[in-house]
């Protein structure tokens, strides 16, 4: 079992930055990939970014490349999502998830991720 706890979400003005944290614990969490997803009101949950625990491989949603950066701090068992140039459309509940994809890949498919956190709310005002 892997436990994930997100933090860092808050109200931020458009154009600003935020860093979300995902603290991981439990058995063998370091063997999983960690991903961020988000769900805006009345929309489906969508993939944001993913990373291998050693940080060697990453994957981003095409629309977010260049604004969002995912990283790991192995000493703190934490994965971060640095978000820049925030837009009102970034408003959503952000979830981190742990899982694995076939053949050592890092995919953005929700079905690849078995463990999920409770989410943290990000609100971007215009």
């Amino acid at each position: 079992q892997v436990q994930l706890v997100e933090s860092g979400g808050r109200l931020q003005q458009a154009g600003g930055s935020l860093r979300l944290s995902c603290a991981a614990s439990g058995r063998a969490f370091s063997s999983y990939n960690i991903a961020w997803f988000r769900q805006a009101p009345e929309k489906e949950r969508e993939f944001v970014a993913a990373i291998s625990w050693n940080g060697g491989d990453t994957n981003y949603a095409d629309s977010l490349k260049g604004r969002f950066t995912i990283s790991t701090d192995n000493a703190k068992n934490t994965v971060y999502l640095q978000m820049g140039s925030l837009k009102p459309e970034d408003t959503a509940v952000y979830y981190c998830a742990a899982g694995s994809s076939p053949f050592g890949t890092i995919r953005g498919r929700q079905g690849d991720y078995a463990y999920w956190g409770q989410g943290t709310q990000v609100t971007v005002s215009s």
Side-chain angles (χ1 to χ4, degrees), residues 40-123:
E42 301 182 356
K43 293 188 177 180
E44 294 186 353
R45 190 159 52 187
E46 64 176 354
F47 171 69
V48 174
I51 191 167
S52 59
W53 194 260
N54 63 13
D57 297 302
T58 58
N59 187 8
Y60 291 91
D62 289 341
S63 62
L64 299 176
K65 287 180 181 177
R67 288 200 303 124
F68 288 14
T69 302
I70 190 170
S71 62
T72 62
D73 184 334
N74 292 349
K76 296 182 178 180
N77 298 336
T78 300
V79 174
Y80 300 104
L81 183 69
Q82 180 69 44
M83 306 186 294
S85 301
L86 286 167
K87 305 174 182 181
E89 50 263 43
D90 293 321
T91 295
V93 178
Y94 284 72
Y95 299 91
C96 69
S100 57
S101 301
F103 311 113
T105 59
I106 302 177
R107 305 190 304 188
R109 298 186 182 187
Q110 296 185 46
D112 287 357
Y113 297 89
Y115 303 100
W116 292 78
Q118 82 290 348
T120 186
Q121 175 71 47
V122 172
T123 303

